[in-house]
Amino acid sequence: MHSGIRRLLLLGAGHAHLHVLARLAEYHPADLQVTLITPFDTQTYSGMVPGLVAGHYSKAEVQIPLAPLLQAGHVRWLAGRCTGIDAAASRVTWQAEGDAVAQTFNYDLLSIDTGAVLRPERMDAEMPGARRHALALRPIETFAALWPDVVALSRERALSLAVIGAGAAGIETVFAAAACLRREGVPGATFTLITGGPEVGSGYGIGVRERVLRRLRREGIQVLREPCVGIDAQGVRLGNGALLCCDVPLLAIGTHAPAWLEGSGLGLCGQGHVLVNRYQQSVSHPNVFAAGDVATRDDAPHARSGVYAVRAGPPLAHNLFATLEQQPLKAHRVPQRTLNLLSCGPGHAIASWGPLHAEGAWVWRWKDRIDQRFVGSYQRNVPARTHPASPQTKDVGTPP
Ligand SMILES: Cc1cc2nc3c(=O)[nH]c(=O)nc-3n(C[C@H](O)[C@H](O)[C@H](O)COP(=O)(O)OP(=O)(O)OC[C@H]3O[C@@H](n4cnc5c(N)ncnc54)[C@H](O)[C@@H]3O)c2cc1C
């Protein structure tokens, strides 16, 4: 690191970077210039997005405004997106929102927490027509902006809505959408969960899957265990040749690594995510760190979910600052077992911890309290924190 101003560049305002931003309020050497490149001035907390869809929360309740954190941490914000990294030259290429011209930014230390994405070319290959005819859950901000249009449409006619993808996000979203449109829309709306082939919630144990299926039946949500092979103006084309007529196809499918990591020179995993060691440090470039869905741990690969991004925040902040201070780095121990709180319709949720599981209104209230406490702690801009108030509650490392 050179002797003048040291430039720390943060890419994305993801869950781990929220913690880094909060810590910067307490740690700010005079020769350190910190810049954040991210497109939005708020960070939407995905764990509460199904609650936003259901109408339990307002947009303001699920969003963390970045301005107070940036101000307290003396961080400069560049509203835009990273479009490329040249790790050998320690340079990032980025584009301001609405600007076609790419700009460059040289860094001394880089931290990446930009999440995973839906890659258009992969969607076109796997599910032709999806980009044009379906509403994707990601980017969450775009989805949240468009959801009120679906609600408005549901007041004109009974809609048929299908969620494609039956992982945690798909399950929660179909329950939430049904709760909202049955309350707000004209009667007669129909709801379908398309699993793509596997069981509903295939990542869960049998006990949780049975509970989810019971709730789906109770809420009158149809389940189709078929792959979706295309989407057009009529609806969803299924692997068995059938057409599911559908007004609103919602994509809750698995995500990809961003295309701009290719050619960065950074060591990547087989799926193209930044490969990091136990310090959340790039295995190829020691002045690059990464956390959250954009990264893969080489020693302890784990599911891509908010909890891991939240958990990586404190060690990431520690190791960024330790690098600047030329101090030893601390290993981040990835939690092995996680508590899982899955919301399933109005005021109801399923909890699981290893082989144990339970459900009820009390689980929903538990999840609600944890989520609100987490978002609230950043909304109130508490500057000094050594731990996040609470992780995302779909995969929580330890029970509160
Ligand atoms: C509907 C829904 C519900 C979910 N519920 C849960 C849950 O309850 N529990 C759970 O554990 N997980 C949940 N997940 C998964 C969870 O959202 C992700 O795993 C989590 O958001 C990953 O966090 P992250 O920090 O990696 O990135 P993100 O939270 O995705 O944040 C990425 C940040 O980077 C910014 N960004 C994106 N691209 C660029 C770019 N090119 N340049 C600069 N900035 C960029 C974004 O604007 C954002 O600020 C849910 C997902 C969805 C879709």
Side-chain angles (χ1 to χ4, degrees):
M1 218 156 280
H2 60 77
S3 52
I5 291 292
R6 296 174 300 169
R7 294 152 304 180
L8 166 60
L9 176 60
L10 306 176
L11 294 182
H15 294 65
H17 275 177
L18 288 176
H19 185 83
V20 175
L21 290 172
R23 286 290 314 278
L24 280 164
E26 341 161 281
Y27 172 82
H28 207 92
D31 65 343
L32 180 64
Q33 180 197 80
V34 189
T35 305
L36 170 70
I37 296 180
T38 198
F40 302 106
D41 61 358
T42 55
Q43 173 68 4
T44 304
Y45 181 65
S46 58
M48 290 169 83
V49 167
L52 174 73
V53 169
H56 292 305
Y57 308 120
S58 67
K59 223 166 160 186
E61 284 174 299
V62 308
Q63 287 183 335
I64 297 162
L66 297 179
L69 287 168
L70 296 172
Q71 208 175 350
H74 307 280
V75 178
R76 182 164 63 126
W77 174 40
L78 299 178
R81 288 172 193 276
C82 169
T83 53
I85 297 176
D86 181 346
S90 294
R91 186 182 307 125
V92 154
T93 309
W94 68 284
Q95 243 168 289
E97 286 297 276
D99 196 343
V101 184
Q103 308 183 49
T104 56
F105 193 103
N106 295 306
Y107 60 82
D108 296 302
L109 186 57
L110 175 69
S111 182
I112 312 171
D113 183 13
T114 53
V117 296
L118 286 175
R119 296 235 327 234
E121 76 282 6
R122 301 235 180 124
M123 281 166 67
D124 285 346
E126 289 162 21
M127 223 176 273
R131 263 209 285 170
R132 187 180 151 108
H133 296 284
L135 183 56
L137 289 188
R138 288 198 172 275
I140 287 177
E141 287 76 9
T142 312
F143 171 70
L146 291 173
W147 177 248
D149 292 348
V150 176
V151 181
L153 195 62
S154 79
R155 296 192 183 110
E156 292 169 18
R157 61 193 166 91
L159 293 181
S160 146
L161 180 143
V163 173
I164 300 147
I171 293 169
E172 288 199 330
T173 303
V174 78
F175 279 116
C180 173
L181 300 193
R182 284 191 178 133
R183 187 184 63 242
E184 299 284 332
V186 299
T190 60
F191 302 91
T192 306
L193 184 61
I194 302 174
T195 73
E199 289 301 311
V200 171
S202 55
Y204 292 95
I206 177 76
V208 172
R209 293 208 303 272
E210 281 173 357
R211 285 183 189 274
V212 173
L213 285 173
R214 267 200 302 276
R215 287 301 294 183
L216 287 165
R217 275 195 297 275
R218 189 175 177 277
E219 297 296 323
I221 296 167
Q222 170 181 226
V223 174
L224 296 178
R225 288 175 189 76
E226 279 296 323
C228 164
V229 294
I231 304 178
D232 56 35
Q234 289 170 286
V236 179
R237 306 272 164 192
L238 300 172
N240 61 5
L243 166 72
L244 174 75
C245 291
C246 169
D247 305 298
V248 187
L250 281 186
L251 285 186
I253 53 176
T255 51
H256 312 118
W260 46 260
L261 283 172
E262 292 164 11
S264 64
L266 290 171
L268 305 179
C269 74
Q271 281 80 45
H273 302 87
V274 183
L275 199 58
V276 294
N277 60 21
R278 62 203 172 115
Y279 306 116
Q280 299 297 139
Q281 181 183 37
S282 158
V283 294
S284 60
H285 292 77
N287 67 335
V288 178
F289 287 74
D293 285 3
V294 76
T296 294
R297 279 278 293 256
D298 67 343
D299 59 328
H302 53 74
R304 293 184 203 288
S305 73
V307 63
Y308 293 104
V310 170
R311 287 293 170 121
L316 177 67
H318 175 94
N319 288 337
L320 288 172
F321 302 165
T323 303
L324 292 164
E325 299 295 329
Q326 296 178 347
Q327 294 295 314
L329 305 183
K330 258 195 210 156
H332 169 42
R333 206 163 60 82
V334 174
Q336 288 196 329
R337 180 171 284 190
T338 58
L339 174 72
N340 219 291
L341 300 173
L342 194 62
S343 64
C344 297
H348 191 93
I350 300 172
S352 55
W353 171 257
L356 308 174
H357 44 92
E359 67 183 301
W362 64 274
V363 181
W364 191 90
R365 287 195 296 273
W366 185 19
K367 173 173 165 48
D368 177 53
R369 265 199 310 277
I370 295 172
D371 286 345
Q372 298 226 35
R373 204 169 62 207
F374 176 78
V375 172
S377 72
Y378 285 106
Q379 286 172 333
R380 287 190 299 276
N381 185 29
V382 181
R385 66 172 68 222
T386 48
H387 285 289
S390 165
Q392 284 241 18
T393 53
K394 195 164 300 116
D395 272 313
V396 182
T398 48

